[in-house]
Amino acid sequence: MDIDLIRADTPGLAHGAHLLAAGSALMPRPVIDAVVDHTRREAEIGGYEAHAEAAEALDALYPAVARHINAAAQEIAIVENATVAWCHAFYALPIERGARILTCEAEYAANYVAMLHRAERDGLRIEVIPSDAAGALDVAALDAAMGDDVGLIAVTWVPTNGGLVNPAAEVGRIARAHGAPYLLDACQAAGQMRIDVKALGCDFLSATGRKFLRGPRGTGFLYVRDAWLDRLHPAMIDHFGAPWVTRDAYELRPDARRFETWENSYALRAGLKAAMDYADAIGIDAIEARVRGLAGLCREALARDGRIRLRDLGARPSGIVSFSIEGTDPARIVKGMRAAGFTIGASDPESTRLDAERRGLPTLLRMAPHYYNTEDEIAQAAARLRALI
Ligand SMILES: Cc1ncc(COP(=O)(O)O)c(C=O)c1O
């Protein structure tokens, strides 16, 4: 990996050390150019005309996403964020009254409130699978919880804080063995680690563009395993996802694009395509190794200060480093770091309420380096942080 070249390609680094890929990472120049160029073209010749002119290149986004996650192009829908992707699959899935949804303790707020919504509306039960000693979803407990009344397994792979990487592929094996539908939230995994939907054994997977994938904000995608396409009726449709074929009838598209609507931001899609290409050109395994390496350095540097308490879980933590500092206002730290040229973030207990309540977590501070960060930036950020406490 040519870090100098990558950094030269990342204009945002001129504004300081951005250490928050888990929030919204810095876009590389090809992504920025793709968004700006398409927007400019829309201004020059009109939005519909710019789309028509670039239609082939824009359609190449589907096979690009599919390649990146080892899926087929017809299994991909492009939407505006990970939550919309997740909800499309979740709300389309038929689940019988009285059935159970199995989930994990690190589940993300957006997903959990949707589960509560369907639980109330459709008479479902939510069962939270306990964590093992390392803090990850306990695979044996999941296996023991399986039964004919499981309507869905919905798990977050890499939570928004807490450093955890849940055993997503083991969950997939259990789901397959019991024939239970499996919806995997890969929002924080995408662009950080290899996603292979076949190895994961998931039926549906949601992800966002702006985080470790380095795409523009307002982009995301949904994967729907093709065996499910016929059985999933979107909770809402328009005449793109379901063309109006006769006066009294529509026909759902045969592919995952039945979850899309007619109007879209093609500039952002062009940016997402550039981001997929950029990640693939570097290589996802190299990215994962560097992200884990830099996150490990962060943890080491922070652990040297007794006032800083690392809050990460799991045997092999992700690139998201979470910590707290007793008696210190996290907002002040984030602000002070920003003023000194270091971007870090805070994550409140409501974003992962089950985990936060179980562990009695306060608002956590988050540092999430990406491969474009350097060892030196991390050392300096840790020193600055220590000075701010
Ligand atoms: C684990 C997880 N899932 C889902 C989301 C939601 O993603 P989006 O904001 O793109 O809808 C987030 C956002 O931080 C997240 O951390």
Side-chain angles (χ1 to χ4, degrees):
M1 198 182 291
D2 186 339
I3 300 298
D4 290 340
L5 198 73
I6 285 167
R7 286 178 67 83
D9 240 3
T10 306
L13 290 168
H15 299 266
H18 193 277
L19 293 158
L20 197 54
S24 181
L26 295 176
M27 291 179 280
R29 202 178 298 279
V31 172
I32 303 163
D33 289 348
V35 175
V36 171
D37 289 351
H38 192 84
T39 305
R40 188 176 297 116
R41 202 63 188 138
E42 287 182 345
E44 283 166 1
I45 63 170
Y48 289 11
E49 294 72 19
H51 176 217
E53 190 178 75
E56 208 174 307
L58 289 164
D59 281 347
L61 175 57
Y62 294 87
V65 173
R67 251 193 322 277
H68 189 79
I69 66 168
N70 193 22
Q74 76 268 14
E75 296 173 310
I76 307 298
I78 304 297
V79 293
E80 54 269 52
N81 56 52
T83 302
V84 166
W86 192 97
C87 283
H88 272 311
F90 179 68
Y91 281 98
L93 187 72
I95 306 180
E96 270 178 34
R97 230 181 157 69
R100 285 180 295 149
I101 299 174
L102 304 185
T103 188
C104 61
E105 291 188 308
E107 197 57 22
Y108 186 64
N111 305 345
Y112 203 84
V113 295
M115 290 184 219
L116 289 171
H117 182 225
R118 271 202 81 177
E120 189 179 279
R121 192 189 72 180
D122 301 336
L124 311 178
R125 288 176 294 145
I126 305 171
E127 188 171 321
V128 180
I129 303 300
S131 304
D132 62 18
L137 177 141
D138 187 330
V139 177
L142 174 66
D143 204 18
M146 294 306 295
D148 293 344
D149 63 341
V150 173
L152 174 67
I153 301 174
V155 166
T156 292
W157 188 0
V158 176
T160 205
N161 62 51
L164 186 66
V165 181
N166 262 324
E170 280 88 333
V171 173
R173 274 192 279 283
I174 293 170
R176 286 282 167 93
H178 292 268
Y182 175 24
L183 167 55
L184 181 62
D185 176 334
C187 182
Q188 295 284 7
Q192 180 184 172
M193 54 189 63
R194 179 169 291 280
I195 300 178
D196 178 335
V197 290
K198 300 206 169 60
L200 289 163
C202 57
D203 297 293
F204 323 108
L205 177 142
S206 55
T208 209
R210 73 180 180 284
K211 297 181 187 283
F212 287 90
L213 272 171
R214 305 183 68 191
R217 293 198 67 176
T219 56
F221 63 85
L222 169 67
Y223 156 79
V224 178
R225 188 156 70 85
D226 85 3
W228 271 100
L229 281 170
D230 277 355
R231 288 182 275 163
L232 280 198
H233 284 237
M236 54 156 257
I237 52 169
D238 81 346
H239 58 305
F240 177 82
W244 195 7
V245 289
T246 67
R247 192 179 176 93
D248 295 320
Y250 62 85
E251 227 165 63
L252 282 169
R253 284 180 63 110
D255 56 18
R257 295 182 72 182
R258 62 177 52 187
F259 293 104
E260 295 182 5
T261 48
W262 190 86
E263 172 60 0
N264 289 289
S265 167
Y266 290 103
L268 298 183
R269 285 177 171 218
L272 182 61
K273 166 71 166 61
M276 300 303 308
D277 292 348
Y278 200 85
D280 288 343
I282 293 174
I284 194 69
D285 295 332
I287 291 173
E288 177 173 355
R290 183 161 170 86
V291 169
R292 279 193 198 270
L294 292 174
L297 284 182
C298 272
R299 290 188 181 97
E300 273 169 42
L302 298 176
R304 267 182 234 127
D305 190 313
R307 297 167 299 176
I308 299 175
R309 186 159 166 206
L310 285 173
R311 299 293 198 153
D312 289 334
L313 299 171
R316 220 174 142 245
S318 76
I320 306 173
V321 180
S322 315
F323 56 99
S324 58
I325 306 164
E326 193 152 349
T328 308
D329 175 16
R332 179 181 72 76
I333 298 288
V334 171
K335 209 167 152 207
M337 290 293 282
R338 183 83 201 101
F342 300 96
T343 303
I344 67 166
S347 182
D348 57 36
E350 292 80 45
S351 62
T352 47
R353 182 177 282 282
L354 304 179
D355 181 43
E357 285 182 1
R358 180 175 69 97
R359 296 201 279 150
L361 296 177
T363 294
L364 296 179
L365 287 157
R366 278 196 310 181
M367 255 194 213
H370 213 333
Y371 57 82
Y372 48 68
N373 291 120
T374 62
E375 291 77 356
D376 190 46
E377 280 176 331
I378 287 166
Q380 285 185 30
R384 186 68 217 162
L385 187 73
R386 284 195 292 271
L388 274 175
I389 302 175

